Amino acid sequence: FYLSVHQMMEEGSEITQEENKIEAAKKIVFVAGASGNTGRRIVEQLLAKGFEVKAGVRDLEKGRSIFSKNNDHLLQIVKADVTEGSNKLAEAIGNDTDAVICATGFRPSFDLLAPWKVDNFGTVNLVEACRKQKVKRFILISSILVNGAAMGQLFNPAYIFLNVFGLTLVAKLQAENHVRRSGIDYTIIRPGGLRNDEPNGNIVMEPEDTLSAGSISRDQVAEVAVEALQVPESRYKVVEVVARSEAPKRSFSDLFGSIQQR
């Protein structure tokens, strides 16, 4: 009798796992900035996990060329420019989207307002579009040191450098504050310096306004963003992430669970 009950319990857990996989496949995630270095990695990891993805790109041709190898029935490439207002973004997101991941970022130029157009107002537009479409979940890729002034890091070379182009970090902080006030279920991820190479070391996750140095592979940032959709402990939290070779490998439930909500 014990064995049969035990087997039934095991079979039940297998069914539950299968149901969870099916549930994950049903979820539709919109990725803003999908053609960027971090965005494309997020798209690929979402597809690998069975999510349906709407890849939001400013240039459809560029987007199609980037994802030409992803002949995936789960992928839809849509035109979306965060600087064009919340109404157009709401159309791109659609009323069937469960979650939005914002991986946008301005490209350095002579336009000193570019960080504000993209990293502040663009993110605000995206949040408002989510509210119009009743999207329940919002993941924002931000940066460590956004609150550097309050941390006493005004003379940190990284803080100075990242603010050279139109006060980028200040713009990102304003966007973060809007996300937190919006009422949407959010996770804000603040990575250290972004590397394009393979992951080197394990992920270290700290509370907001903790890290002032360090770097991390974009692949790992994408992994944190995708896992945030699946780990309940990530809700309503701001986390800072870097990678360190001496750090132990920890589960994402453990990493997110170690951070207190504020």
Side-chain angles (χ1 to χ4, degrees), residues 169-211:
L169 293 177
V170 179
K172 286 181 181 291
L173 183 61
Q174 294 298 316
E176 282 191 15
N177 290 337
H178 184 82
V179 172
R180 295 167 87 150
R181 290 192 302 263
S182 69
I184 200 167
D185 180 355
Y186 68 84
T187 305
I188 296 171
I189 300 163
R190 296 178 176 174
L194 295 169
R195 300 194 314 266
N196 290 324
D197 55 353
E198 293 290 312
N200 180 20
N202 291 319
I203 294 168
V204 172
M205 187 176 287
E206 297 288 350
E208 61 185 292
D209 303 341
T210 301
L211 298 173

Short mmCIF file of all heavy atoms in Angstrom, two decimals, residues 169-211:
data_model
loop_
_atom_site.label_atom_id
_atom_site.label_comp_id
_atom_site.label_asym_id
_atom_site.label_seq_id
_atom_site.Cartn_x
_atom_site.Cartn_y
_atom_site.Cartn_z
N LEU A 169 22.50 57.38 -15.76
CA LEU A 169 22.09 56.69 -14.52
C LEU A 169 20.96 57.43 -13.82
O LEU A 169 20.08 56.80 -13.23
CB LEU A 169 23.29 56.53 -13.58
CG LEU A 169 24.39 55.58 -14.08
CD1 LEU A 169 25.55 55.56 -13.09
CD2 LEU A 169 23.85 54.17 -14.29
N VAL A 170 20.98 58.75 -13.90
CA VAL A 170 19.90 59.54 -13.30
C VAL A 170 18.59 59.24 -14.03
O VAL A 170 17.53 59.08 -13.41
CB VAL A 170 20.22 61.05 -13.35
CG1 VAL A 170 19.08 61.86 -12.75
CG2 VAL A 170 21.54 61.34 -12.63
N ALA A 171 18.67 59.13 -15.36
CA ALA A 171 17.49 58.80 -16.17
C ALA A 171 16.94 57.42 -15.80
O ALA A 171 15.73 57.23 -15.65
CB ALA A 171 17.83 58.85 -17.66
N LYS A 172 17.84 56.46 -15.64
CA LYS A 172 17.42 55.10 -15.27
C LYS A 172 16.76 55.08 -13.89
O LYS A 172 15.78 54.37 -13.67
CB LYS A 172 18.63 54.15 -15.29
CG LYS A 172 19.12 53.76 -16.68
CD LYS A 172 20.29 52.80 -16.57
CE LYS A 172 20.83 52.41 -17.93
NZ LYS A 172 19.90 51.56 -18.70
N LEU A 173 17.31 55.86 -12.96
CA LEU A 173 16.74 55.90 -11.61
C LEU A 173 15.32 56.47 -11.63
O LEU A 173 14.42 55.96 -10.94
CB LEU A 173 17.62 56.72 -10.68
CG LEU A 173 17.17 56.79 -9.21
CD1 LEU A 173 17.15 55.41 -8.58
CD2 LEU A 173 18.07 57.73 -8.41
N GLN A 174 15.10 57.51 -12.43
CA GLN A 174 13.76 58.08 -12.56
C GLN A 174 12.78 57.04 -13.09
O GLN A 174 11.64 56.94 -12.62
CB GLN A 174 13.79 59.30 -13.49
CG GLN A 174 14.59 60.49 -12.96
CD GLN A 174 14.03 61.03 -11.66
OE1 GLN A 174 12.84 61.19 -11.51
NE2 GLN A 174 14.91 61.30 -10.70
N ALA A 175 13.24 56.25 -14.07
CA ALA A 175 12.39 55.20 -14.63
C ALA A 175 12.08 54.13 -13.58
O ALA A 175 10.94 53.67 -13.47
CB ALA A 175 13.08 54.56 -15.84
N GLU A 176 13.09 53.74 -12.82
CA GLU A 176 12.88 52.76 -11.75
C GLU A 176 11.80 53.25 -10.78
O GLU A 176 10.92 52.48 -10.37
CB GLU A 176 14.18 52.54 -10.97
CG GLU A 176 15.19 51.66 -11.66
CD GLU A 176 16.32 51.28 -10.70
OE1 GLU A 176 16.14 51.48 -9.48
OE2 GLU A 176 17.35 50.78 -11.17
N ASN A 177 11.91 54.51 -10.40
CA ASN A 177 10.94 55.07 -9.44
C ASN A 177 9.52 55.01 -10.00
O ASN A 177 8.56 54.74 -9.26
CB ASN A 177 11.31 56.51 -9.09
CG ASN A 177 12.58 56.58 -8.25
OD1 ASN A 177 12.94 55.60 -7.58
ND2 ASN A 177 13.26 57.71 -8.28
N HIS A 178 9.38 55.24 -11.31
CA HIS A 178 8.06 55.17 -11.93
C HIS A 178 7.52 53.73 -11.89
O HIS A 178 6.34 53.52 -11.61
CB HIS A 178 8.11 55.67 -13.38
CG HIS A 178 6.76 55.72 -14.03
ND1 HIS A 178 5.88 56.76 -13.84
CD2 HIS A 178 6.12 54.83 -14.84
CE1 HIS A 178 4.77 56.53 -14.52
NE2 HIS A 178 4.89 55.35 -15.13
N VAL A 179 8.39 52.79 -12.19
CA VAL A 179 7.99 51.37 -12.14
C VAL A 179 7.49 51.02 -10.74
O VAL A 179 6.44 50.38 -10.58
CB VAL A 179 9.18 50.45 -12.53
CG1 VAL A 179 8.82 48.98 -12.30
CG2 VAL A 179 9.58 50.67 -13.98
N ARG A 180 8.21 51.45 -9.73
CA ARG A 180 7.87 51.10 -8.35
C ARG A 180 6.55 51.74 -7.91
O ARG A 180 5.83 51.17 -7.09
CB ARG A 180 9.00 51.51 -7.42
CG ARG A 180 10.26 50.73 -7.68
CD ARG A 180 11.49 51.34 -7.00
NE ARG A 180 11.63 50.87 -5.65
CZ ARG A 180 12.80 50.74 -5.03
NH1 ARG A 180 13.92 51.06 -5.64
NH2 ARG A 180 12.87 50.31 -3.79
N ARG A 181 6.25 52.90 -8.46
CA ARG A 181 4.99 53.58 -8.09
C ARG A 181 3.79 53.11 -8.91
O ARG A 181 2.66 53.45 -8.59
CB ARG A 181 5.15 55.10 -8.30
CG ARG A 181 6.07 55.79 -7.31
CD ARG A 181 5.92 57.31 -7.41
NE ARG A 181 6.20 57.79 -8.76
CZ ARG A 181 7.38 58.28 -9.16
NH1 ARG A 181 8.40 58.33 -8.31
NH2 ARG A 181 7.54 58.71 -10.39
N SER A 182 4.05 52.35 -9.96
CA SER A 182 3.01 52.04 -10.95
C SER A 182 1.95 51.06 -10.46
O SER A 182 0.86 50.99 -11.02
CB SER A 182 3.66 51.47 -12.21
OG SER A 182 4.19 50.17 -11.95
N GLY A 183 2.28 50.28 -9.44
CA GLY A 183 1.35 49.25 -8.96
C GLY A 183 1.51 47.93 -9.68
O GLY A 183 0.89 46.93 -9.30
N ILE A 184 2.36 47.89 -10.72
CA ILE A 184 2.58 46.65 -11.46
C ILE A 184 3.53 45.75 -10.66
O ILE A 184 4.35 46.24 -9.88
CB ILE A 184 3.15 46.97 -12.86
CG1 ILE A 184 2.94 45.80 -13.84
CG2 ILE A 184 4.63 47.34 -12.80
CD1 ILE A 184 3.18 46.18 -15.29
N ASP A 185 3.39 44.45 -10.83
CA ASP A 185 4.26 43.47 -10.17
C ASP A 185 5.62 43.50 -10.89
O ASP A 185 5.73 43.06 -12.03
CB ASP A 185 3.61 42.09 -10.27
CG ASP A 185 4.45 40.99 -9.62
OD1 ASP A 185 5.57 41.28 -9.17
OD2 ASP A 185 3.97 39.85 -9.59
N TYR A 186 6.65 44.03 -10.23
CA TYR A 186 7.92 44.28 -10.91
C TYR A 186 9.08 43.50 -10.30
O TYR A 186 9.06 43.08 -9.15
CB TYR A 186 8.26 45.78 -10.86
CG TYR A 186 8.57 46.28 -9.47
CD1 TYR A 186 9.84 46.16 -8.92
CD2 TYR A 186 7.58 46.86 -8.67
CE1 TYR A 186 10.12 46.60 -7.63
CE2 TYR A 186 7.84 47.30 -7.39
CZ TYR A 186 9.11 47.17 -6.87
OH TYR A 186 9.38 47.60 -5.59
N THR A 187 10.11 43.34 -11.13
CA THR A 187 11.45 43.00 -10.66
C THR A 187 12.40 43.93 -11.41
O THR A 187 12.37 43.98 -12.65
CB THR A 187 11.83 41.54 -10.95
OG1 THR A 187 10.85 40.67 -10.39
CG2 THR A 187 13.20 41.21 -10.35
N ILE A 188 13.21 44.66 -10.68
CA ILE A 188 14.21 45.53 -11.29
C ILE A 188 15.57 44.88 -11.09
O ILE A 188 15.97 44.59 -9.96
CB ILE A 188 14.18 46.95 -10.69
CG1 ILE A 188 12.83 47.61 -10.99
CG2 ILE A 188 15.33 47.79 -11.22
CD1 ILE A 188 12.59 48.92 -10.25
N ILE A 189 16.25 44.63 -12.20
CA ILE A 189 17.56 43.96 -12.17
C ILE A 189 18.64 44.98 -12.51
O ILE A 189 18.61 45.58 -13.59
CB ILE A 189 17.59 42.79 -13.17
CG1 ILE A 189 16.51 41.75 -12.82
CG2 ILE A 189 18.97 42.13 -13.20
CD1 ILE A 189 16.18 40.79 -13.94
N ARG A 190 19.56 45.17 -11.59
CA ARG A 190 20.67 46.10 -11.81
C ARG A 190 21.97 45.32 -11.99
O ARG A 190 22.61 44.95 -11.00
CB ARG A 190 20.81 47.04 -10.61
CG ARG A 190 19.63 47.96 -10.35
CD ARG A 190 19.92 48.78 -9.10
NE ARG A 190 18.90 49.77 -8.79
CZ ARG A 190 18.91 50.51 -7.67
NH1 ARG A 190 19.89 50.35 -6.78
NH2 ARG A 190 17.96 51.40 -7.45
N PRO A 191 22.38 45.08 -13.23
CA PRO A 191 23.64 44.35 -13.44
C PRO A 191 24.85 45.27 -13.32
O PRO A 191 24.74 46.49 -13.49
CB PRO A 191 23.50 43.82 -14.87
CG PRO A 191 22.57 44.77 -15.54
CD PRO A 191 21.67 45.35 -14.48
N GLY A 192 26.00 44.66 -13.05
CA GLY A 192 27.26 45.39 -13.10
C GLY A 192 27.66 45.59 -14.56
O GLY A 192 26.83 45.51 -15.46
N GLY A 193 28.93 45.85 -14.80
CA GLY A 193 29.41 46.05 -16.17
C GLY A 193 29.08 44.86 -17.04
O GLY A 193 29.34 43.71 -16.66
N LEU A 194 28.49 45.11 -18.22
CA LEU A 194 28.01 44.02 -19.07
C LEU A 194 29.10 43.51 -20.00
O LEU A 194 29.75 44.28 -20.71
CB LEU A 194 26.81 44.51 -19.90
CG LEU A 194 25.57 44.87 -19.08
CD1 LEU A 194 24.55 45.60 -19.93
CD2 LEU A 194 24.95 43.63 -18.45
N ARG A 195 29.29 42.19 -19.98
CA ARG A 195 30.29 41.55 -20.85
C ARG A 195 29.60 40.71 -21.90
O ARG A 195 28.58 40.06 -21.63
CB ARG A 195 31.22 40.65 -20.03
CG ARG A 195 32.00 41.35 -18.93
CD ARG A 195 33.12 40.43 -18.43
NE ARG A 195 32.65 39.06 -18.21
CZ ARG A 195 32.23 38.59 -17.04
NH1 ARG A 195 32.21 39.37 -15.98
NH2 ARG A 195 31.83 37.33 -16.92
N ASN A 196 30.16 40.69 -23.11
CA ASN A 196 29.60 39.89 -24.19
C ASN A 196 30.15 38.47 -24.22
O ASN A 196 29.68 37.64 -24.98
CB ASN A 196 29.87 40.55 -25.54
CG ASN A 196 29.07 41.83 -25.73
OD1 ASN A 196 27.92 41.92 -25.29
ND2 ASN A 196 29.66 42.84 -26.35
N ASP A 197 31.16 38.19 -23.39
CA ASP A 197 31.79 36.86 -23.41
C ASP A 197 30.98 35.85 -22.59
O ASP A 197 29.99 36.19 -21.96
CB ASP A 197 33.24 36.94 -22.93
CG ASP A 197 33.35 37.58 -21.55
OD1 ASP A 197 32.33 38.07 -21.04
OD2 ASP A 197 34.47 37.57 -20.98
N GLU A 198 31.45 34.63 -22.61
CA GLU A 198 30.78 33.54 -21.90
C GLU A 198 30.79 33.81 -20.38
O GLU A 198 31.70 34.49 -19.88
CB GLU A 198 31.51 32.22 -22.17
CG GLU A 198 31.42 31.74 -23.61
CD GLU A 198 30.03 31.27 -23.99
OE1 GLU A 198 29.43 30.50 -23.22
OE2 GLU A 198 29.53 31.70 -25.04
N PRO A 199 29.81 33.29 -19.66
CA PRO A 199 29.79 33.47 -18.20
C PRO A 199 31.08 32.98 -17.55
O PRO A 199 31.60 31.92 -17.92
CB PRO A 199 28.61 32.61 -17.76
CG PRO A 199 27.69 32.60 -18.95
CD PRO A 199 28.60 32.59 -20.14
N ASN A 200 31.58 33.78 -16.63
CA ASN A 200 32.79 33.42 -15.90
C ASN A 200 32.53 33.67 -14.42
O ASN A 200 32.52 34.81 -13.96
CB ASN A 200 33.97 34.26 -16.40
CG ASN A 200 35.26 33.93 -15.67
OD1 ASN A 200 35.37 32.86 -15.09
ND2 ASN A 200 36.22 34.84 -15.70
N GLY A 201 32.28 32.60 -13.69
CA GLY A 201 31.93 32.75 -12.28
C GLY A 201 30.44 32.61 -12.07
O GLY A 201 29.65 32.56 -13.02
N ASN A 202 30.05 32.53 -10.83
CA ASN A 202 28.64 32.38 -10.47
C ASN A 202 28.01 33.72 -10.11
O ASN A 202 28.71 34.68 -9.77
CB ASN A 202 28.50 31.41 -9.29
CG ASN A 202 28.84 29.98 -9.70
OD1 ASN A 202 28.45 29.53 -10.78
ND2 ASN A 202 29.56 29.27 -8.84
N ILE A 203 26.69 33.74 -10.20
CA ILE A 203 25.95 34.99 -9.96
C ILE A 203 25.93 35.33 -8.47
O ILE A 203 25.65 34.48 -7.63
CB ILE A 203 24.51 34.86 -10.50
CG1 ILE A 203 24.53 34.74 -12.03
CG2 ILE A 203 23.65 36.06 -10.08
CD1 ILE A 203 23.21 34.32 -12.64
N VAL A 204 26.23 36.60 -8.19
CA VAL A 204 26.10 37.15 -6.84
C VAL A 204 24.95 38.14 -6.90
O VAL A 204 24.92 39.02 -7.77
CB VAL A 204 27.40 37.86 -6.40
CG1 VAL A 204 27.20 38.59 -5.08
CG2 VAL A 204 28.54 36.87 -6.31
N MET A 205 23.99 38.02 -6.01
CA MET A 205 22.84 38.91 -5.98
C MET A 205 22.79 39.64 -4.65
O MET A 205 22.89 39.03 -3.60
CB MET A 205 21.55 38.11 -6.21
CG MET A 205 20.29 38.96 -6.38
SD MET A 205 18.81 37.94 -6.75
CE MET A 205 19.12 37.45 -8.46
N GLU A 206 22.67 40.96 -4.73
CA GLU A 206 22.66 41.80 -3.53
C GLU A 206 21.47 42.75 -3.55
O GLU A 206 20.89 43.00 -4.62
CB GLU A 206 23.96 42.61 -3.44
CG GLU A 206 25.23 41.78 -3.30
CD GLU A 206 25.39 41.14 -1.93
OE1 GLU A 206 24.61 41.49 -1.02
OE2 GLU A 206 26.28 40.28 -1.78
N PRO A 207 21.10 43.32 -2.40
CA PRO A 207 20.01 44.30 -2.37
C PRO A 207 20.40 45.58 -3.09
O PRO A 207 21.57 45.82 -3.39
CB PRO A 207 19.82 44.56 -0.87
CG PRO A 207 20.56 43.48 -0.16
CD PRO A 207 21.65 43.05 -1.06
N GLU A 208 19.40 46.42 -3.35
CA GLU A 208 19.65 47.69 -4.04
C GLU A 208 20.64 48.56 -3.27
O GLU A 208 20.73 48.51 -2.05
CB GLU A 208 18.34 48.45 -4.24
CG GLU A 208 17.62 48.81 -2.96
CD GLU A 208 16.27 49.45 -3.24
OE1 GLU A 208 16.26 50.57 -3.77
OE2 GLU A 208 15.25 48.82 -2.92
N ASP A 209 21.39 49.35 -4.03
CA ASP A 209 22.35 50.31 -3.49
C ASP A 209 23.44 49.65 -2.67
O ASP A 209 23.89 50.17 -1.65
CB ASP A 209 21.65 51.39 -2.66
CG ASP A 209 20.58 52.14 -3.45
OD1 ASP A 209 20.62 52.08 -4.69
OD2 ASP A 209 19.72 52.77 -2.81
N THR A 210 23.86 48.47 -3.11
CA THR A 210 24.91 47.73 -2.41
C THR A 210 26.20 47.66 -3.22
O THR A 210 27.28 47.94 -2.70
CB THR A 210 24.45 46.28 -2.09
OG1 THR A 210 23.27 46.33 -1.29
CG2 THR A 210 25.53 45.51 -1.35
N LEU A 211 26.09 47.28 -4.49
CA LEU A 211 27.27 47.06 -5.31
C LEU A 211 27.73 48.33 -6.02
O LEU A 211 26.92 49.06 -6.59
CB LEU A 211 26.99 45.97 -6.35
CG LEU A 211 26.64 44.58 -5.81
CD1 LEU A 211 26.22 43.64 -6.93
CD2 LEU A 211 27.83 43.99 -5.04
#
